[in-house]
């Protein structure tokens, strides 16, 4: 079936919907005829997306919601089911970045990455999945990993770790849903390549006063911003993801050749048990949601 046949008429909940691929997914969901609940910690950004979508004739609501707060995610689920109806698509997308050597990373920055990128996905699943299971109607869960989920990159260890974690979490969740016999639930992993967003600008850095290597951290930020200049448009990325999901693929790749090559290289590295190698020019750079 087409993406419109699969998702049209349903309700989508998207975290991190105020910008980047989250906003792109929301826009394309509305193009397909979905109603959307937009969740983000940035009230100004998420209201702007909501107003844009409603002005186009779509049905969009917003919630200022911090995915790090399990109670806030439960409240989001209750509000969505009460106001919009059963959820057909849950997109756990909210994510943050961190630059710098791992030993220079401030503890609060490490916790921020783990709390948003990993715990936020867990909280979303706990808040929504039981309701989706109970409804017994077809439903989808998308967790946002990244090309960084199949790559290793220095000076971004917290982020890369988190995206590897989400890929493994999603693979396990798919098996658990099957094991429990919930055949109406589809779990899929989204691996964006370079997709335009503001994640690099808002990424954490290191504290030079505390002895951190600020130059190394900021050089990595600059390198990622260079990649952003040629990044894929979020709306175009969203269309690819929805089309692949409708084909019932598990790994949803915004740039199939680019991300697929990174996956193949990762598989070869593990199969040959080759140690990670530094490159003067990396072939694959993570560009997040």
């Amino acid at each position: 079936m087409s993406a419109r046949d699969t998702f049209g008429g349903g309700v989508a909940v998207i975290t991190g919907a105020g910008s980047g691929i989250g906003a792109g997914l929301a826009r394309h969901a509305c193009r397909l005829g979905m109603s959307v609940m937009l969740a983000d910690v940035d009230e100004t950004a998420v209201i702007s997306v909501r107003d844009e979508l409603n002005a186009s004739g779509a049905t969009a609501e917003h919630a200022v919601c911090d995915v790090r707060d399990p109670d806030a995610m439960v409240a989001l689920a209750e509000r969505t089911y009460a106001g919009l109806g059963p959820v057909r698509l849950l997109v756990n997308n909210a994510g943050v970045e961190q630059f710098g050597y791992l030993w220079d990373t401030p503890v609060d920055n490490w916790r921020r990455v783990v709390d948003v990128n990993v715990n936020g996905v867990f909280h979303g699943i706990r808040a929504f999945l039981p309701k989706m299971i109970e409804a017994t109607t077809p439903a989808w869960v998308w967790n946002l990993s990244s090309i960084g989920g199949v790559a290793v990159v220095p000076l971004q260890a917290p982020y890369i770790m988190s995206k590897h974690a989400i890929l493994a979490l999603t693979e396990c969740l798919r098996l658990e849903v099957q094991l429990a016999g919930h055949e109406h639930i589809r779990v899929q992993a989204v691996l964006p390549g370079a997709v335009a967003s503001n994640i690099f600008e808002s990424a954490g850095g290191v504290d030079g006063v505390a002895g951190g290597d600020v130059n190394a951290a900021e050089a990595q930020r600059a390198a990622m911003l260079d990649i952003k200049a040629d990044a894929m448009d979020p709306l175009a990325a969203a269309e690819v993801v929805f089309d692949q999901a409708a084909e019932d693929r598990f790994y949803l790749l915004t740039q199939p050749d680019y991300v697929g090559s990174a996956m193949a290289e990762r598989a070869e590295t593990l199969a040959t048990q080759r140690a990670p190698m530094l490159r003067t020019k990396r072939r694959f750079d993570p560009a997040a949601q």
Side-chain angles (χ1 to χ4, degrees), residues 50-176:
R50 181 206 64 186
D51 290 348
E52 170 198 328
L53 294 176
N54 286 334
S56 72
T59 299
E61 295 187 14
H62 86 281
V64 179
C65 181
D66 189 338
V67 299
R68 297 175 293 184
D69 183 346
D71 293 335
M73 292 301 290
V74 169
L76 178 65
E78 296 290 346
R79 176 181 166 188
T80 302
Y81 274 78
L84 294 176
V87 173
R88 184 172 301 177
L89 173 63
L90 169 65
V91 184
N92 290 306
N93 164 71
V96 295
E97 253 280 17
Q98 169 66 32
F99 297 120
Y101 288 114
L102 187 59
W103 55 88
D104 288 340
T105 302
V107 171
D108 285 347
N109 290 20
W110 170 268
R111 288 174 175 163
R112 174 175 178 252
V113 171
V114 173
D115 282 347
V116 174
N117 295 10
V118 181
N119 294 345
V121 174
F122 170 63
H123 297 325
I125 290 164
R126 285 193 72 251
F128 282 91
L129 190 54
K131 294 179 179 295
M132 298 166 81
I133 290 171
E134 185 179 0
T136 71
T137 54
W140 284 257
V141 176
W142 295 355
N143 296 329
L144 271 284
S145 180
S146 165
I147 190 174
V150 293
V152 290
V153 181
L155 298 167
Q156 290 175 246
Y159 175 82
I160 296 297
M161 173 279 302
S162 73
K163 293 305 179 178
H164 277 254
I166 290 308
L167 185 56
L169 179 153
T170 307
E171 291 167 335
C172 292
L173 180 62
R174 182 178 177 95
L175 296 179
E176 291 184 5

